[in-house]
Amino acid sequence: MVSVHQVPSVALLALLPAALYALSVDTIVVVALVNVVLIAASVYTMFLPSESTLKAASA
């Protein structure tokens, strides 16, 4: 299982194959790279603690 703090490094690892494929400089590669970044950012924000969780923990 990947912790929230490891998501950026996992995202960079996911970008490596796409970056190697990018040497062909095709437009679909740019779309793939953007998708990987969007998915990684979404997963990262999804697992961040919410405001209600932080208020409950501090009370």
Side-chain angles (χ1 to χ4, degrees):
M1 189 78 166
V2 178
S3 73
V4 176
H5 301 293
Q6 294 172 333
V7 169
S9 59
V10 171
L12 289 176
L13 288 175
L15 285 174
L16 284 176
L20 291 174
Y21 185 68
L23 295 175
S24 66
V25 190
D26 197 8
T27 55
I28 195 72
V29 175
V30 175
V31 173
L33 291 172
V34 170
N35 284 338
V36 169
V37 171
L38 287 175
I39 291 169
S42 299
V43 169
Y44 182 74
T45 56
M46 182 173 60
F47 287 109
L48 286 177
S50 65
E51 290 181 15
S52 61
T53 306
L54 292 174
K55 288 179 184 176
S58 65

